[in-house]
Amino acid sequence: MSKEQLSPVSLDAPGGNSPAVGIGLCLSGGGYRAMLFHLGVLWRLAELGYLSSNDRVGMHGPIGSLQRVSSVSGGSIIAGVLGLAWDDLKVDDEDLLDRFRELVVAPIESFASQTTVSIWTATWSAIVSTVNKSVKRVYRRRLFDKKTLQDLPDSPRFVINATNLQSGALWRFSKPFTRDWRVGEIKNPTDSIASVVAASSAFPPFLSPSRFKYDESQYTPNSGSDLQRPPYTTRPTLSDGGVYDNLGLETVFKNFQTVIVSNAGGKYKPKKKIIGDWALQSYRVMSTIDNQVRSLRKRVLISSLESLQRTGVYFSIRSEIEGYPAEDKLPCSPERARELADIPTDLAAKDVNTQRRLINWGYAICDAGIRSWVEDGLPAPKDFPYPDEGV
């Protein structure tokens, strides 16, 4: 058995090459909680110049520029908004932040003010159609309209990840191709951003599965390993990208030397009593397995950062900011930060105060992480994006 099969994420770049100089940004799952936390992260990255096309030099040498944004679940919602706005952002211009507030912050805050799916809408959707189709319609109506993968920029490449329940592998959507290494590759796909994000955020069992329909002729011949045949090719059945890789790490780690991982995922909590009901017990078993896979990926990432096999930073919604050595960090109460981390993983409306606190927390911990471990000499932030709310 190969190292690729044994490892939760391989250190080797495709083709046996060394990972390229460049920055890969990973946005984890976690529903609206993650979406808003990542918004704060992107806000600080924009201020620090990390969205520009200019090459940068970090603490350990050249790190290049942002080459890839990889996302799953809640992270894919904001990745979709950022990707579609990218050309209009004009990331190398001085007034980037004004356009960032208009084209990214405003749509996400408006979206987070309304519920995408609740137990009541999910029940009704399950009766008349499917919950995932209902979520897709909401995404299309409120965020993405009829935009497709071909409306994303060429660079950086946005990769929106889902899990293929048929093959057990990652299904990745991007502008140049969509593929599952076992099933095959479709070049220049025209899937709608709404359907792609709905697949990436199809949290099981309530929002899953998400079904796609392709013609076998769309696939590049012999591009799949062992499953390039119907129904794997023609009717792929997908679920939340976090089922396979909740950090969105897979499509970045193998390719780029510098990795920035923003993790706003939930925490596995102990339970005193396990109910004997088979359905609830199965859900608990799934959560346990999922927690172990996440832990393994995080362990490989942290180990590679410590050994300088990769450069970059990992920070989490559960990080303690005082553990970061950067000076002049923003004041963040650990107790208040834990309150935000404990917000449920859902697609339910968040009040303005909660939204702004999540944005501020992502902004603050990203700043501390970048200035502590990626690049020194950067200016400390003057204040939170929303100073009155703090964390």
Side-chain angles (χ1 to χ4, degrees), residues 178-197:
T178 181
R179 74 183 299 265
D180 173 321
W181 70 274
R182 299 187 67 184
V183 176
E185 172 185 279
I186 297 174
K187 292 183 177 179
N188 305 315
T190 57
D191 299 284
S192 71
I193 299 295
S195 64
V196 166
V197 174

Side-chain angles (χ1 to χ4, degrees), residues 49-125:
Y50 272 71
L51 301 189
S52 80
S53 62
N54 298 322
D55 287 339
R56 310 186 69 87
V57 177
M59 296 176 179
H60 305 288
I63 60 176
S65 61
L66 182 64
Q67 297 296 311
R68 183 161 301 181
V69 178
S70 176
S71 63
V72 296
S73 199
S76 292
I77 302 174
I78 190 165
V81 171
L82 179 68
L84 292 177
W86 192 267
D87 290 339
D88 292 328
L89 283 174
K90 300 176 183 176
V91 294
D92 293 324
D93 288 1
E94 290 184 359
D95 54 351
L96 163 63
L97 289 176
D98 292 334
R99 287 189 298 277
F100 182 81
R101 293 186 188 96
E102 175 190 352
L103 300 174
V104 180
V105 176
I108 289 295
E109 289 182 339
S110 175
F111 185 73
S113 299
Q114 301 179 56
T115 295
T116 292
V117 63
S118 67
I119 187 171
W120 306 113
T121 58
T123 301
W124 175 248
S125 298

Side-chain angles (χ1 to χ4, degrees), residues 173-335:
F173 294 95
S174 65
K175 182 175 182 177
F177 61 79
T178 181
R179 74 183 299 265
D180 173 321
W181 70 274
R182 299 187 67 184
V183 176
E185 172 185 279
I186 297 174
K187 292 183 177 179
N188 305 315
T190 57
D191 299 284
S192 71
I193 299 295
S195 64
V196 166
V197 174
S200 183
S201 57
F203 188 77
F206 310 109
L207 307 184
S208 182
S210 180
R211 301 183 188 276
F212 285 72
K213 185 176 183 180
Y214 299 116
D215 190 276
E216 205 171 357
S217 63
Q218 292 178 261
Y219 286 82
T220 300
N222 303 314
S223 58
S225 173
D226 60 333
L227 297 178
Q228 193 165 348
R229 61 183 186 276
Y232 302 102
T233 49
T234 54
R235 293 292 289 169
T237 302
L238 309 182
S239 189
D240 192 297
V243 173
Y244 184 91
D245 174 12
N246 195 56
L247 297 181
L249 188 61
E250 180 93 355
T251 59
V252 164
F253 196 81
K254 299 177 183 180
N255 295 278
F256 299 103
Q257 180 61 38
T258 300
V259 181
I260 299 173
V261 178
S262 175
N263 181 15
K267 183 179 181 181
Y268 182 82
K269 297 180 180 180
K271 280 192 173 183
K272 292 182 180 179
K273 184 177 180 181
I274 300 299
I275 299 174
D277 177 84
W278 68 267
L280 293 177
Q281 186 180 159
S282 296
Y283 183 76
R284 181 65 175 176
V285 170
M286 288 169 54
S287 298
T288 304
I289 295 171
D290 172 69
N291 180 65
Q292 290 304 304
V293 173
R294 295 188 196 194
S295 298
L296 284 170
R297 288 185 180 274
K298 178 183 174 183
R299 204 170 302 154
V300 170
L301 171 65
I302 298 299
S303 175
S304 69
L305 293 175
E306 291 176 342
S307 65
L308 295 182
Q309 291 178 293
R310 294 291 186 278
T311 56
V313 65
Y314 165 92
F315 48 80
S316 164
I317 196 170
R318 298 183 183 277
S319 295
E320 295 187 7
I321 199 167
E322 289 307 314
Y324 292 76
E327 296 182 354
D328 300 320
K329 299 183 292 290
L330 291 168
C332 299
S333 160
E335 291 76 17

Side-chain angles (χ1 to χ4, degrees), residues 9-76:
V9 57
S10 173
L11 281 168
D12 299 329
N17 300 318
S18 298
V21 173
I23 301 169
L25 173 63
C26 302
L27 304 176
S28 80
Y32 278 10
R33 180 190 65 240
M35 178 183 71
L36 291 161
F37 179 83
H38 297 324
L39 177 56
V41 169
L42 290 168
W43 200 323
R44 186 53 177 156
L45 289 176
E47 285 185 353
L48 292 174
Y50 272 71
L51 301 189
S52 80
S53 62
N54 298 322
D55 287 339
R56 310 186 69 87
V57 177
M59 296 176 179
H60 305 288
I63 60 176
S65 61
L66 182 64
Q67 297 296 311
R68 183 161 301 181
V69 178
S70 176
S71 63
V72 296
S73 199
S76 292

